[in-house]
């Protein structure tokens, strides 16, 4: 039953698509935005050396590095400063901060070639009419600057309508935009719609689907056949569609290639766990196989070799592997060990409970309440945090 590595899940052959080097220049997929703003002609010498005025403008006005300015100049051309200056001023007047403007331009240089009134303003006005506050709309466009280059009628309106009808919250749409910046570059109804319907058909509650869409929108933007294969495999592994772990498992397999899965399995095995134990941990908390192999080894080494904890710490609560080693596991383990040594807590207290506690609760329950007996704990904790950060 547990020898599933020998019969690797079929869907793992569907690895996550990685961007090729040319896809880094994603703005090439957009048509010129203004007849007065010309793209660089296909000229070998031009492609090698870039356009000097464009390079100079991007470095001096937009704080590009010389390398990034040269790279951008091979695919776009600024003939004079009038248009890009107007774009920068427009964004400032619309309420974008200096850092947001810098981020937008660096991630989507062709925005400098847009007509502020004809191309940019209608999209901002649409977002305002949709009910987004200034803070929300600047956050969306800062997270997904390529939206400036998308068609308002054919892309932005349908995308926002689809998300709003399903999620029903502008604040949550902002979260989706931040976590999946390419959301405005896909036909969400065609790509997300069938995948959402499939989850409903297999019994996943809509509230949990919405939760995953907000937390991991990328999970839905894949080919529907691949998505169906993954869902069927997760069903076959015995995950309950009524529980959120079902969706976490779907997302975990969506995000991993076969090679990555095998690498993480090997990492756990090197730490002394059997396939049966790994499989059991995965069923309890699929996130334990989403973290990197390097993190798996680092946390296990700290817990078992440096701190001397038993492997049951992970077996009982595999979620412990998902926390930050530097920000959570190390400083809190030191506090836990100190409390245990002084007899302020008993060894029946789960280490996972200490690690997983919200920061405020942790400080109150494990440090503040022992201030008289162990006044050094707060200093130990804060100094270790500062050192590791």
């Amino acid at each position: 039953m547990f020898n599933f590595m020998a019969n690797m899940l079929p869907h793992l052959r569907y690895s996550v698509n990685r961007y090729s080097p040319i896809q880094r220049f994603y703005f090439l997929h957009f048509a010129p935005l203004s007849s007065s703003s010309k793209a660089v002609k296909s000229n070998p010498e031009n492609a090698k050396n870039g356009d000097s005025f464009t390079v100079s403008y991007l470095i001096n006005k937009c704080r590009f590095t010389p390398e990034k300015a040269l790279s951008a100049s091979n695919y776009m051309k600024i003939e004079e400063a009038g248009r890009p200056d107007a774009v920068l001023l427009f964004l400032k007047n619309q309420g974008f901060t200096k850092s947001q403007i810098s981020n937008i331009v660096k991630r989507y240089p062709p925005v400098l070639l847009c007509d502020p009134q004809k191309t940019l303003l209608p999209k901002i006005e649409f977002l305002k009419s949709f009910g987004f506050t200034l803070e929300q709309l600047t956050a969306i466009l800062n997270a997904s600057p390529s939206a400036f280059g998308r068609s308002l009628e054919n892309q932005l309106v349908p995308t926002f309508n689809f998300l709003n009808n399903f999620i029903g919250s502008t604040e949550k749409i902002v979260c989706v935009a931040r976590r999946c910046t390419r959301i405005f570059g896909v036909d969400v109804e065609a790509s997300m719609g069938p995948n959402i319907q499939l989850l409903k058909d297999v019994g996943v509650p809509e509230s949990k689907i919405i939760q995953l869409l907000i937390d991991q929108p990328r999970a839905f933007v894949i080919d529907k056949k691949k998505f169906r294969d993954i869902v069927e495999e997760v069903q076959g592994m015995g995950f309950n569609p009524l529980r959120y772990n079902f969706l976490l498992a779907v997302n975990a397999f969506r995000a991993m290639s076969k090679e990555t899965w095998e690498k993480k399995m090997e990492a756990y095995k090197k730490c002394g766990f059997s396939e049966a134990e790994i499989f059991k941990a995965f069923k309890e908390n699929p996130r334990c196989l989403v973290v990197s192999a390097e993190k798996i080894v680092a946390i296990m080494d700290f817990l078992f070799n440096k701190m001397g904890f038993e492997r049951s710490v992970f077996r009982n609560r595999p979620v412990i592997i998902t926390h930050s080693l530097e920000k959570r596991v190390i400083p809190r383990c030191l506090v836990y060990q100190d409390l245990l040594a002084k007899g302020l807590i008993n060894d029946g207290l789960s280490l996972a409970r200490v690690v997983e506690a919200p920061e405020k609760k942790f400080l109150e329950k494990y440090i503040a309440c022992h201030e008289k007996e162990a006044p050094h704990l707060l200093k130990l904790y804060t100094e270790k945090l500062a050192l590791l950060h």
Side-chain angles (χ1 to χ4, degrees):
M1 176 179 178
F2 294 109
N3 192 25
F4 58 96
M5 283 302 297
N7 300 293
M8 180 57 62
L9 301 179
H11 69 267
L12 290 178
R13 67 181 179 271
Y14 299 117
S15 60
V16 179
N17 290 329
R18 305 297 182 195
Y19 290 109
S20 64
I22 193 64
Q23 285 177 304
R24 287 178 295 173
F25 304 107
Y26 54 88
F27 48 80
L28 288 176
H29 298 291
F30 301 111
L33 298 170
S34 170
S35 59
S36 62
S37 303
K38 300 177 181 177
V40 162
K41 296 179 180 179
S42 180
N43 183 300
E45 188 63 26
N46 222 6
K48 180 179 179 180
N49 301 318
D51 177 75
S52 60
F53 183 81
T54 302
V55 170
S56 176
Y57 186 92
L58 293 175
I59 292 174
N60 296 328
K61 295 296 290 286
C62 304
R63 299 186 180 278
F64 275 51
T65 63
E67 294 77 15
K68 289 185 177 180
L70 179 61
S71 177
S73 73
N74 289 330
Y75 298 93
M76 59 174 284
K77 183 175 182 180
I78 300 173
E79 295 187 328
E80 56 183 11
R83 173 59 60 80
D85 281 351
V87 169
L88 295 177
L89 180 61
F90 171 83
L91 293 175
K92 178 182 177 181
N93 291 339
Q94 288 296 320
F96 290 87
T97 66
K98 186 178 294 186
S99 63
Q100 286 176 328
I101 295 172
S102 176
N103 175 67
I104 288 169
V105 173
K106 287 177 180 177
R107 292 179 58 197
Y108 184 64
V111 72
L112 294 171
L113 307 180
C114 292
D115 183 310
Q117 298 302 315
K118 294 181 179 179
T119 304
L120 304 183
L121 183 60
K123 292 164 186 176
I124 290 177
E125 289 181 336
F126 165 71
L127 291 177
K128 288 180 179 178
S129 70
F130 211 91
F132 290 100
T133 64
L134 175 62
E135 182 181 2
Q136 289 173 330
L137 74 86
T138 54
I140 285 177
L141 294 170
N142 181 54
S144 305
S146 62
F148 279 123
R150 298 295 183 180
S151 166
L152 177 60
E153 295 77 13
N154 299 327
Q155 187 68 48
L156 299 189
V157 172
T159 297
F160 278 100
N161 284 338
F162 178 86
L163 293 175
N164 186 57
N165 290 337
F166 188 60
I167 299 176
S169 164
T170 53
E171 184 177 350
K172 291 174 181 177
I173 292 176
V174 174
C175 292
V176 172
R178 282 174 168 166
R179 290 168 181 162
C180 184
T181 58
R182 65 191 184 99
I183 195 73
F184 303 110
V186 297
D187 184 337
V188 292
E189 187 167 2
S191 60
M192 286 186 166
N195 296 335
I196 289 173
Q197 186 58 50
L198 173 62
L199 292 175
K200 290 181 179 180
D201 292 343
V202 300
V204 179
E206 185 171 296
S207 61
K208 287 183 168 51
I209 299 174
I210 292 173
Q211 184 181 346
L212 183 68
L213 178 59
I214 295 167
D215 293 342
Q216 297 289 340
R218 294 174 185 271
F220 296 91
V221 190
I222 67 171
D223 177 77
K224 61 184 180 181
K225 183 182 183 304
K226 295 178 183 179
F227 192 81
R228 178 176 291 277
D229 288 342
I230 292 174
V231 169
E232 289 176 353
E233 291 294 344
V234 171
Q235 284 181 296
M237 294 172 70
F239 280 89
N240 184 349
L242 296 177
R243 295 185 60 200
Y244 193 58
N245 270 4
F246 182 96
L247 294 178
L248 291 179
V250 169
N251 183 57
F253 288 137
R254 186 276 313 175
M256 282 187 289
S257 66
K258 177 181 177 180
E259 292 72 24
T260 300
W261 172 276
E262 291 174 342
K263 186 177 180 181
K264 293 176 183 181
M265 290 289 294
E266 286 304 311
Y268 276 114
K269 288 178 181 179
K270 287 179 181 178
C271 296
F273 295 100
S274 67
E275 286 185 7
E277 290 174 319
I278 302 168
F279 182 78
K280 182 175 181 296
F282 179 71
K283 286 200 69 175
E284 183 176 328
N285 194 309
R287 290 190 179 99
C288 71
L289 272 162
V290 173
V291 301
S292 69
E294 292 73 20
K295 181 177 180 180
I296 291 169
V297 172
I299 290 186
M300 296 303 187
D301 178 63
F302 174 77
L303 290 175
F304 308 145
N305 300 328
K306 293 184 173 62
M307 298 298 293
F309 291 109
E310 298 294 329
R311 280 170 174 71
S312 58
V313 165
F314 172 75
R315 293 191 193 101
N316 295 337
R317 291 291 291 172
V319 69
I320 197 170
I321 201 77
T322 65
H323 294 290
S324 167
L325 178 62
E326 293 81 11
K327 297 178 182 179
R328 216 36 117 78
V329 178
I330 293 178
R332 294 196 181 191
C333 280
L334 294 177
V335 170
Y336 175 88
Q337 192 176 57
D338 198 285
L339 290 170
L340 199 61
K342 289 181 170 56
L344 298 174
I345 58 174
N346 62 64
D347 56 9
L349 175 65
S350 166
L351 172 65
R353 287 177 60 186
V354 177
V355 173
E356 294 170 33
E359 183 72 4
K360 183 178 179 181
K361 182 178 180 180
F362 170 79
L363 292 172
E364 291 175 351
K365 190 169 183 178
Y366 301 109
I367 292 182
C369 68
H370 299 296
E371 187 175 0
K372 289 183 179 180
E373 304 94 333
H376 65 286
L377 279 181
L378 182 60
K379 184 178 180 182
L380 169 70
Y381 181 65
T382 54
E383 284 185 350
K384 182 57 67 173
L385 276 177
L387 180 64
L388 292 171
H389 287 190

